[in-house]
Amino acid sequence: MSNNDKIIRLKTVLSRTGLSRSTMYRKIAEGTFPSQVKISVHGAGWRESAVNRWIDDPVAYRNEGAPL
């Protein structure tokens, strides 16, 4: 993660992607959307750079290590 890469929260991710919450979590499970990053005991967020990569090309996005 670069020094200026922000962690963004759920509402921001949903707003920027236009996905519903259930669709986003389904895509995470499929490996076609960036996974969350744990930021505290009860909190998680997404790397802004990963979300931006998905926004740039959602069809070609694949999480590393995700099943094909």
Side-chain angles (χ1 to χ4, degrees):
M1 184 166 83
S2 69
N3 289 341
N4 54 358
D5 194 9
K6 295 180 187 176
I7 300 295
I8 54 177
R9 300 298 299 261
L10 179 63
K11 286 183 182 181
T12 304
V13 174
L14 296 178
S15 171
R16 291 180 67 186
T17 62
L19 297 173
S20 70
R21 183 180 173 129
S22 60
T23 298
M24 184 191 69
Y25 283 113
R26 178 178 46 79
K27 288 182 166 296
I28 290 170
E30 293 170 349
T32 59
F33 192 82
S35 297
Q36 296 164 287
V37 176
K38 191 167 181 111
I39 57 176
S40 70
V41 174
H42 298 290
W46 285 260
R47 286 189 174 96
E48 186 174 33
S49 61
V51 174
N52 288 339
R53 278 195 314 276
W54 184 88
I55 291 169
D56 289 343
D57 194 359
V59 175
Y61 185 89
R62 205 85 174 122
N63 272 340
E64 292 178 13
L68 297 174

